[in-house]
Amino acid sequence: MLEVAPDSPLRQAALEVERHVAEAGWDQPPRLFALVSTEQLRESHPELADQLDGDYTPVEQEQLGVDRPVEEILPTIMWPEAVDGCAVVIERVMLPPSAEADLPEDPDELAAYVAAHPDRQEVRIVAAVLRDGSGHTGVRARDGEDPPLLEGPDLVPGLVELLRASMS
C-alpha cells in the first residue's frame, strides 16, 4: 500500500470533495465522485480551463441510492480507464472501542443499541483512491462548530479497499 504525502494531489482532491459535501450540511445520502485528470479535462473541454484547479477534478456521479448500503453498491462499480481515481463520502455512527464487547449480533438489535448508546458519535467519512493503489481518508465528527478533520491513508480500511477494488 502506498502512503499519501501530506500535500499529495490525492489528498487535495479528497479535501475538495469533503468541503463540497460539507457545504450541504449533514444527513446526506452517500455521494460518489470520479477523480479525473484536470489536464485531460482541460484538453477535452477548453472552455472550462479557467474553472479547473489541482491535479484531479472530482466529478460527482449519480446518487448511489439509499435502498442498499454503500458497502454493497461499491463492489458493483467498475470505472472506465479515463477515470484516474474515485472518492466516496458517507455518514456513519461510531462507537468507542470499549462498546465492542456489548454489541448484539442481530442487525436490528445492533442498530437500536448504537442509536441509544450515550457515547455514539456521528461522523462524515471521505475516502479516495487512485489506480496506483494510493489512498487518503478523512473523518470529521458532527460535534461542535468546526470539528477537525482527522486524516490518514487508511483510517477506514474496509471502505478504502472497496474503492480500490472498483478501480481494478
Side-chain angles (χ1 to χ4, degrees), residues 78-91:
M78 298 309 281
W79 296 97
E81 288 299 317
V83 173
D84 297 295
C86 61
V88 68
V89 180
I90 60 174
E91 294 179 8

Side-chain angles (χ1 to χ4, degrees), residues 41-107:
L41 278 176
R42 284 186 184 125
E43 289 174 10
S44 60
H45 298 285
E47 71 280 6
L48 298 176
D50 294 346
Q51 301 170 33
L52 300 174
D53 193 23
D55 289 10
Y56 298 104
T57 299
V59 179
E60 189 160 7
Q61 304 301 292
E62 290 184 31
Q63 191 170 4
L64 287 175
V66 292
D67 55 332
R68 291 178 21 208
V70 72
E71 293 83 358
E72 289 180 14
I73 297 169
L74 288 176
T76 67
I77 297 171
M78 298 309 281
W79 296 97
E81 288 299 317
V83 173
D84 297 295
C86 61
V88 68
V89 180
I90 60 174
E91 294 179 8
R92 291 291 184 261
V93 176
M94 297 179 80
L95 295 178
S98 60
E100 287 182 24
D102 299 326
L103 293 177
E105 290 186 28
D106 178 81

